[in-house]
Amino acid sequence: MEEVIIIGSGCAGWTAAIYLARAKLSPLLVTGSEPGGLLTTTTLVENYPGFPLGIQGPELMEAMRKQAERFGTRVKYLSVVTDFQCNGKIKRVKIDDEWLETKAVVIAVGARPRKLSVPGESELETKGVSYCATCDGALPVFRNQPLVVVGGGDSACEEALYLTRFASVVYLIHRRDALRASSIMAERVLNEPKIKVIWNSVIEKVLDPKEDRVTGVLLRNVKEGTTNLLECRGLFVAIGHVPNTQIFEGKIELDEKKLIKTTEGTKTSVAGVFACGDCVDGVYRQAVTAAGMGCMAAIDAERYLREKSI
């Protein structure tokens, strides 16, 4: 019988592990198939407190792992949670092909950015293709360069406005002839002289994998069918995120975006199950906010175990 199982190994998961291990609860953390989460796919992280010169994403995740293990966290590397049962006080978690029982669960499975799925996108990820302007926009490679944002909602507008601080020009690519964003966000974008909106267009290809960096995007006008090459040095994809919550559907309460609903901190609809990080947060999605939520979930889980005396 486990005291607590943590599902996920991003900032939220490792932070929860640090707190729970220091509380002498000997947590078991399941990393998933991609240990470290989204931060392992980034390069320089400049906005995580405590690192004045920045730190590489994988290096930050490795440091968190070592810190968690130092206090007694046990880790199932590259293992995947394939099923989950939460009826009654005792929860059952299927890790690969093995069922384990636990008194509490912390879910920190994160979310993945929705991708364009066009040629060149995956090859140039971290080489000019980004899914987070707040994370990467201030990097030297993007300063005083033409940048492209794709999307038409509030997130895309926020990303485009943020990038005007660094870019020479920001092109906002949208497949329709009007933004889906809120009126105030759309107005800000349309009134910003450094943002040029390209309507009724989609990206067909990201260039140029042969140069190992982004040099431009091939656009197609969806109404006219014409194509043209737009030169740029960075592509920021802002078409939404997909929470990694599929196995929890029908078992704990999710919202319309498939994010886990929480109340009173990190409590889910099932007693003894707590959730944190990007599988809960559809607004901020930052490493530091995920870490903070991981701390909250650990404290909530510790109090639950102490009060319930399961």
Side-chain angles (χ1 to χ4, degrees):
M1 174 70 68
E2 297 289 339
E3 291 290 320
V4 56
I5 292 177
I6 302 166
I7 307 172
S9 57
C11 283
W14 285 125
T15 304
I18 292 166
Y19 274 77
L20 288 165
R22 292 187 74 249
K24 304 298 182 184
L25 289 171
S26 187
L28 177 66
L29 183 144
V30 187
T31 67
S33 59
E34 298 180 4
L38 285 180
L39 266 193
T40 59
T41 67
T42 65
T43 51
L44 187 64
V45 178
E46 292 187 312
N47 57 2
Y48 198 90
F51 300 95
L53 300 179
I55 184 172
Q56 296 291 316
E59 185 182 351
L60 178 59
M61 289 295 89
E62 179 67 6
M64 287 189 179
R65 178 191 69 80
K66 289 179 178 178
Q67 188 175 2
E69 289 188 324
R70 174 180 160 233
F71 291 113
T73 299
R74 293 164 299 126
V75 182
K76 279 190 171 288
Y77 288 101
L78 298 175
S79 289
V80 177
V81 172
T82 56
D83 204 352
F84 177 75
Q85 295 177 355
C86 55
N87 300 322
K89 289 185 177 181
I90 303 304
K91 283 63 178 169
R92 301 182 75 233
V93 179
K94 190 176 185 182
I95 303 172
D96 297 329
D97 295 322
E98 178 187 11
W99 282 100
L100 294 182
E101 292 187 335
T102 182
K103 299 175 184 178
V105 176
V106 172
I107 301 171
V109 292
R112 60 193 183 279
R114 186 173 281 113
K115 299 192 176 184
L116 296 172
S117 300
V118 298
E121 180 185 16
S122 60
E123 296 93 326
L124 293 172
E125 189 172 335
T126 75
K127 299 174 181 177
V129 174
S130 171
Y131 302 91
C132 178
T134 308
C135 309
D136 301 328
L139 294 176
V141 67
F142 297 127
R143 289 182 179 269
N144 301 310
Q145 300 291 335
L147 303 177
V148 166
V149 175
V150 59
D154 278 348
S155 294
C157 289
E158 288 175 10
E159 301 250 306
L161 288 164
Y162 179 78
L163 290 171
T164 59
R165 307 176 190 184
F166 315 106
S168 58
V169 61
V170 177
Y171 298 101
L172 180 61
I173 313 299
H174 187 42
R175 64 184 304 126
R176 298 182 176 85
D177 58 5
L179 296 172
R180 294 183 292 106
S182 59
S183 297
I184 190 168
M185 289 301 298
E187 184 179 350
R188 287 174 184 171
V189 164
L190 297 175
N191 289 333
E192 170 54 57
K194 289 185 74 173
I195 296 177
K196 300 184 184 302
V197 183
I198 300 179
W199 305 105
N200 302 312
S201 296
V202 295
I203 293 176
E204 293 277 277
K205 184 186 295 185
V206 185
L207 305 171
D208 186 357
K210 291 181 180 178
E211 295 192 25
D212 206 33
R213 65 188 180 101
V214 171
T215 60
V217 292
L218 182 66
L219 300 179
R220 176 174 61 86
N221 186 292
V222 295
K223 287 192 172 181
E224 300 173 2
T226 56
T227 60
N228 69 286
L229 179 64
L230 177 65
E231 291 188 1
C232 66
R233 293 297 175 266
L235 168 63
F236 292 81
V237 181
I239 56 175
H241 283 70
V242 182
N244 299 316
T245 55
Q246 303 92 314
I247 67 167
F248 305 111
E249 289 191 42
K251 298 171 183 177
I252 59 178
E253 193 173 355
L254 309 179
D255 69 11
E256 66 280 358
K257 296 179 181 178
K258 305 302 182 184
L259 294 164
I260 297 174
K261 283 188 175 183
T262 57
T263 58
E264 298 180 59
T266 64
K267 296 178 182 179
T268 70
S269 58
V270 176
V273 178
F274 307 89
C276 54
D278 288 5
C279 63
V280 175
D281 172 23
V283 178
Y284 302 103
R285 291 193 297 266
Q286 298 299 302
V288 68
T289 54
M293 292 179 73
C295 163
M296 293 163 60
I299 292 173
D300 287 342
E302 180 190 356
R303 288 174 178 168
Y304 168 81
L305 291 170
R306 184 173 66 246
E307 292 169 2
K308 300 298 180 182
S309 298
I310 298 173

